Amino acid sequence: MMSSDTEARAGVVRVNDVVFDAASITQESLHHPNAPDPLAAASYALAIRELLRQRAVELELLPEAAVLDDACTDALFDRELTLPAPTRDDCERYFRNHAAQFRRNDIVYASHILFAVTEGAPVALILQKAEQTLLQLKGEPDSFEALARALSNCPSGGVGGSLGQLLRGDSVPEFERAIFETTDTGLLPRVVKTRFGFHIVRIDQRVPGEALPFEAAHAGIAQYLQQRVRQKAMQQYVSILAARAHIEGVDLGQANGPLVQ
């Protein structure tokens, strides 16, 4: 049940002649529970979706009153965007500049303190607590195990936060990037955000493996670079649509929102 206070804070969003009222924005915000400001994320998502829907109608890809779905969105982008394919030189350059990503059999021994984010939780306050704890640990590194036992929402807190031995693929991609795409040991300088919440991470030991040859990584790099080009083109495309539209109640800025990531 949505509170009247929440609906009052939601305001309204207008995209040309289409208006989303406070109740619609509040309802949409339920799909963005982990956003720092779920109402702002909802307003953003609704505005971008409506911009794309109106363009699809204009191009006769969608009937006037129809709802935009993923298939229509893909058809719209396929029609409107021209994406250059990454060259071998592009892939080799990325390989050289991100060598830490292209290794196998690296082992990391890590510990963490998890500040979990669950549906409806106050994300900003949880992040603030994680950052305050990280600041405390920078001055008192020997208190890591005790704070893990007291604060961590992970079962590893019972053993001082230890995750033991980790290989690539053992953890979610966000956490894996944080621990493998650096050579640092000790306390990582920033809070790590994953789908589970916010982590304070300590690298206890690294056991190096071996570098992958370029040919083994080429296909994956090409796919990643193609996705990155598509994402950037989508952001620019939505920005162009926004510049041509009459929009109230939300600032699309660089159009780096949930529908163009």
Side-chain angles (χ1 to χ4, degrees), residues 109 140 156 203 250 256:
Y109 292 84
E140 305 171 5
S156 66
I203 306 299
V250 61
N256 187 17

Side-chain angles (χ1 to χ4, degrees), residues 64-116:
E64 178 66 41
V67 175
L68 184 76
D69 59 16
D70 290 344
C72 186
T73 302
D74 288 341
L76 176 63
F77 287 140
D78 288 343
R79 174 164 173 172
E80 296 273 82
L81 303 182
T82 301
L83 305 178
T87 66
R88 184 180 179 88
D89 285 346
D90 294 332
C91 295
E92 288 180 340
R93 188 179 308 111
Y94 186 89
F95 180 78
R96 289 193 303 270
N97 293 338
H98 300 83
Q101 295 181 21
F102 304 108
R103 301 182 56 82
R104 56 189 167 203
N105 302 325
D106 288 330
I107 300 173
V108 170
Y109 292 84
S111 301
H112 79 147
I113 301 172
L114 170 63
F115 296 82

Side-chain angles (χ1 to χ4, degrees), residues 168-221:
R168 293 180 188 271
D170 286 346
S171 55
V172 294
E174 313 95 287
F175 194 85
E176 184 171 296
R177 284 192 294 271
I179 65 173
F180 282 106
E181 293 182 17
T182 175
T183 58
D184 295 342
T185 57
L187 194 67
L188 294 189
R190 290 178 293 277
V191 170
V192 175
K193 183 179 184 297
T194 75
R195 66 199 67 179
F196 300 113
F198 303 102
H199 308 250
I200 296 172
V201 182
R202 187 183 68 190
I203 306 299
D204 300 315
Q205 182 185 358
R206 293 185 181 277
V207 179
E210 57 184 344
L212 284 170
F214 171 72
E215 293 303 333
H218 185 189
I221 293 173

